[in-house]
Amino acid sequence: MIADAPSALTGLKPLSRLDHPREMIRQFTPNWFAATMGTGILALALPQVPGIGPALKPIGEVLWFFNIALFILFAGLYGARWAMFGHEARRIFGHNTVSMFIGTIPMGLATIINGCLAFGIARFGNGIVPVAHVLWWIDVAMSLACGVLIPYLMFTRHEHSLDGMTAVWLLPVVAAEVAGASGGLLAPHLTDPHAQIVTLATSYVLWAYSVPVAFGILAILILRMALHKLPHESMAASSWLALGPIGTGALGMLVLGADAPAILAAHGLVGVGTVAQGIGVVAGLCLWGFGLWWLALATLITIRYWRAGVPFNLGWWGYTFPLGVYTVATFRLGTTLNLGFFGIVGTVLTIALAAMWLLVGAKTLAGAWRGNLFVSPCIATPN
């Protein structure tokens, strides 16, 4: 019993699994930003629960502030890695998997921008809208860069195979449509009509920049799973990532379609705005139906993985954001079509999202305290 005491004390010591505390910086990767995506989308979903949304809004606001702190912390750690260990940090661009997670940075930022509208206006006034607008353009630039540069590296530098493919291929591509959906939420809050139509038009371009490519990847992913079955258990959560572009695509069409009539009418395009609104509703509903199929499939796959036992890793955050954005799209359909069914489904999905966030958050906190989650595969396998 006395012999067990040192190991017990070691378990209470922070970063006990690391050789030195600076390894936390040296081993920090963009995978951590997936936690800001999951936290941010839960914050945005809670106020939309029918009936009890107003009561849940303060919780969502607290999560939004917490998410800002997380994003600043992660940005500081990752920036420090580039400053202190730049020769190793740049290896990420040659790593087949870790490089994909660069897309989580702009997507995490997008949830903070949306929170500026959902919580910041009521808390700080309309003065926060220009701040959100500037941050949105930064997010757009990062999303456009991720969406083309990472695939370029895939085509020219990385070594990939069909049997080794997973849904993480979607991460750099989907960032643009997330920015597009955020633009749809932002546009109505802008006071300048020119800024409104520029934001609206840019958001549609972002949607088109991302969604067709993402659906092409989804088609290959279905083929890969049919031919080579499920990925390794370390990628268990990746089955949910496919729900992300579907849910975000639906949400983007819905919010942009809702913006279009008023914004385009102010520029003499009344008919175009009406058509865009109709397309938004129909496209959103159809994409939601596709997402329902993938939701059911991902649930079955997850049950299979969990029965066999799946070790925890940061990839588990993949269970949260895709489910969350599909949940928000579900709520949006309910308010757009005035159908209570979507509100009920959205509420059930929100409960599942909150439960998963608590589970993954607790495991992440424990792993971060011990230090075993700070692992950079691109150092272990140099290019």
Side-chain angles (χ1 to χ4, degrees):
M1 186 145 180
I2 295 175
D4 291 338
S7 61
L9 292 174
T10 301
L12 295 175
K13 181 182 177 182
L15 305 178
S16 60
R17 301 291 181 85
L18 298 178
D19 295 334
H20 190 280
R22 69 170 174 267
E23 285 296 297
M24 179 177 66
I25 295 175
R26 180 171 176 257
Q27 301 280 353
F28 193 85
T29 62
N31 305 48
W32 285 89
F33 285 93
T36 67
M37 295 169 60
T39 303
I41 199 63
L42 176 60
L44 295 168
L46 288 176
Q48 300 185 49
V49 177
I52 60 172
L56 295 176
K57 187 172 182 178
I59 301 176
E61 185 176 2
V62 170
L63 285 174
W64 175 59
F65 280 117
F66 175 61
N67 200 37
I68 293 173
L70 273 184
F71 192 91
I72 293 173
L73 173 63
F74 294 164
L77 288 171
Y78 196 45
R81 185 189 185 195
W82 275 92
M84 297 171 62
F85 306 100
H87 62 292
E88 292 180 333
R90 67 173 60 98
R91 291 179 184 173
I92 189 174
F93 298 115
H95 196 277
N96 292 4
T97 302
V98 184
S99 59
M100 305 297 165
F101 285 88
I102 293 175
T104 63
I105 300 176
M107 287 191 281
L109 179 59
T111 65
I112 294 174
I113 296 168
N114 295 346
C116 289
L117 308 174
F119 309 109
I121 294 175
R123 175 64 58 182
F124 303 109
N126 289 326
I128 200 172
V129 174
V131 175
H133 195 201
V134 171
L135 289 175
W136 182 73
W137 280 111
I138 294 172
D139 191 68
V140 168
M142 289 194 295
S143 299
L144 290 173
C146 287
V148 71
L149 293 180
I150 302 303
Y152 175 77
L153 291 175
M154 293 174 68
F155 302 158
T156 60
R157 187 171 176 181
H158 297 169
E159 293 293 335
H160 291 281
S161 61
L162 184 61
D163 63 326
M165 178 201 185
T166 67
V168 297
W169 285 19
L170 292 164
L171 290 176
V173 171
V174 174
E177 64 176 284
V178 173
S182 297
L185 296 171
L186 175 64
H189 294 279
L190 301 174
T191 55
D192 180 12
H194 179 71
Q196 285 186 334
I197 195 167
V198 168
T199 301
L200 180 70
T202 302
S203 298
Y204 270 114
V205 170
L206 290 166
W207 191 96
Y209 187 90
S210 171
V211 174
V213 181
F215 274 56
I217 294 174
L218 288 179
I220 300 171
L221 181 63
I222 293 173
L223 175 64
R224 175 253 178 272
M225 291 197 295
L227 295 179
H228 301 287
K229 310 312 173 191
L230 299 180
H232 186 267
E233 61 182 17
S234 63
M235 288 291 182
S238 67
S239 59
W240 288 84
L241 295 180
L243 192 61
I246 301 171
T248 308
L251 180 63
M253 281 288 96
L254 289 166
V255 296
L256 292 173
D259 295 344
I263 293 176
L264 293 178
H267 293 80
L269 298 169
V270 178
V272 176
T274 302
V275 171
Q277 184 179 36
I279 291 175
V281 174
V282 174
L285 189 59
C286 290
L287 287 172
W288 188 88
F290 181 31
L292 184 63
W293 178 83
W294 206 287
L295 175 66
L297 184 66
T299 302
L300 292 174
I301 291 173
T302 300
I303 292 172
R304 182 184 179 93
Y305 273 122
W306 284 22
R307 280 180 176 175
V310 181
F312 177 76
N313 58 57
L314 285 176
W316 279 37
W317 283 103
Y319 291 118
T320 58
F321 183 79
L323 176 60
V325 75
Y326 185 75
T327 300
V328 173
T330 303
F331 284 135
R332 189 78 185 200
L333 271 174
T335 56
T336 300
L337 300 175
N338 196 26
L339 291 175
F341 165 78
F342 290 103
I344 295 171
V345 174
T347 301
V348 173
L349 294 178
T350 302
I351 294 171
L353 172 63
M356 186 56 67
W357 182 85
L358 289 170
L359 172 64
V360 179
K363 288 182 175 292
T364 301
L365 183 61
W369 179 266
R370 292 190 299 267
N372 62 291
L373 290 181
F374 294 102
V375 178
S376 178
C378 36
I379 295 178
T381 55
N383 304 305

